[in-house]
Each structure stands twice: as C-alpha cells, then as structure tokens.
Amino acid sequence: MARLVQTNTQEKANLSIKVDLAIRDELKQIASSRDRSLNYIMIEALKSYILQKREENAAMQAFEEEGARRLQAYRETGQHITHQAMTEWAESFNSNQRKPFPKCDK
C-alpha cells in the first residue's frame, strides 16, 4: 500500500474550502466521537483521498503498460483470440457444459 511522504518540517499552508453544512456537521460528529479536532479529521480525509488516487493512478498505469505489452506481442506474433471465441467461452459459464479457454489463432 502506498504511503504519504512524511516530512519533519513545520511548514504548513492554510487551505480553505466550502462544504455543505451537512458535510461539516458530519465531520464535526466524527471528530467529536474520536476526540479529535475537525482540522485533524479533514487532514486525515485528505491524506486518505490522496493515497486512494495514487493507487488508482498506479493501477491505471499498470493496466496501460500491460495493454501496450500485449499489443506489441500481438504485432510480433500475430497470435490472438477472436471476439466470437471469447464470447462463446464466456456464454458457456451459464450452461451445464463449460467450454475450455479458447486457444490462440494466428
């Protein structure tokens, strides 16, 4: 799991946002139930959001890289599985006779 970079600096910046009153009230309730300040809860929420977006970006980048590798392999070998073969295989999941995974064509 990704982690935020922790710094030892005391440098801080003010960040002002406007939220619906319902969101503010819910954040206040969370802060109160955890005996934390509203500021602390908002910082933790932002950290969590940043980590989530980093993980999403890393997953998307890995997906795109894998796609590029597979496209290159197809261009080099010509091996592929047709849409029809994949559809028939997938549709066999709903029957009593599951088909084996399709073989590559050239």
Side-chain angles (χ1 to χ4, degrees), residues 70-81 104-106:
R70 289 176 184 247
L71 177 59
Q72 185 61 33
Y74 165 73
R75 288 178 175 157
E76 291 172 2
T77 67
Q79 289 186 333
H80 64 283
I81 299 174
C104 289
D105 294 328
K106 244 194 172 191

Side-chain angles (χ1 to χ4, degrees), residues 10-46:
Q10 293 298 318
E11 292 183 34
K12 307 274 183 189
N14 287 326
L15 182 63
S16 177
I17 62 170
K18 289 186 180 186
V19 297
D20 292 337
L21 292 177
I23 293 173
R24 183 203 60 194
D25 293 343
E26 192 163 351
L27 287 169
K28 281 184 173 183
Q29 183 179 9
I30 293 168
S32 176
S33 71
R34 289 176 173 69
D35 198 26
R36 295 290 188 167
S37 69
L38 181 58
N39 188 62
Y40 177 88
I41 298 300
M42 290 189 302
I43 289 170
E44 290 302 304
L46 286 170

